Amino acid sequence: MISKTNQYAIRAVLYVAQNQQDAPVRANEMASELSLPPNYLSKILHALARAGVLVSERGPRGGFRLAHPAEEVSLADVIGPFDPVGEQRGCLMGRPECSDEAPCRLHDDWKKASDPLIDFFQDTMVADLLAKADK
């Protein structure tokens, strides 16, 4: 349902949020702990840093930290650099113009299915997932 890149991004941000207390989290450590391809993960982490989700610190003690508190980072923020959530629903029938005002035959059904998913990504914060992981 969501791309592997988005899954990796969510896993990486959660890992950073859980492990950034004493020092930034190093990409190679994260790749090893999460069993993710290091080069692919590095590209994801740098895209998240460019998007303002993470902060990248250089040097021997460098790594990644959340740019904002976990309570302020939504899943939409995390996957947004790869697949912007809700910006463009896309018409399942391939029409260039499909909206409430000019709907295709599937518009209403697709909207009913996709709106809750969009809401989930926009309303779920990294802190929410961390709290559930502690249970």
Side-chain angles (χ1 to χ4, degrees):
M1 191 141 206
I2 66 171
S3 71
K4 191 159 294 278
T5 300
N6 287 335
Q7 291 175 29
Y8 288 177
I10 291 169
R11 290 173 59 196
V13 168
L14 288 174
Y15 187 85
V16 169
Q18 289 173 317
N19 294 285
Q20 67 178 357
Q21 293 80 8
D22 299 324
V25 180
R26 301 189 59 80
N28 58 352
E29 166 197 330
M30 200 179 323
S32 176
E33 288 294 318
L34 298 175
S35 300
L36 300 177
N39 291 339
Y40 192 32
L41 178 61
S42 179
K43 290 177 184 178
I44 291 169
L45 294 171
H46 288 288
L48 289 167
R50 282 191 303 277
V53 175
L54 298 177
V55 173
S56 174
E57 297 179 21
R58 297 178 143 208
R61 296 178 188 248
F64 293 90
R65 293 183 185 271
L66 289 180
H68 306 281
E71 295 80 10
E72 297 175 15
V73 181
S74 71
L75 292 184
D77 295 330
V78 175
I79 69 172
F82 313 103
D83 295 311
V85 176
E87 273 185 25
Q88 198 170 2
R89 185 187 325 270
C91 178
L92 290 179
M93 300 298 292
R95 291 176 51 186
E97 177 68 31
C98 184
S99 64
D100 291 341
E101 295 76 32
C104 73
R105 294 178 300 221
L106 294 176
H107 180 79
D108 292 336
D109 292 333
W110 177 227
K111 184 175 177 177
K112 278 188 238 174
S114 61
D115 278 355
L117 187 60
I118 291 168
D119 291 344
F120 169 78
F121 284 111
Q122 291 175 338
D123 297 342
T124 303
M125 301 295 153
V126 169
D128 298 334
L129 296 181
L130 292 174
K132 290 181 182 187
D134 292 340
K135 291 183 180 183

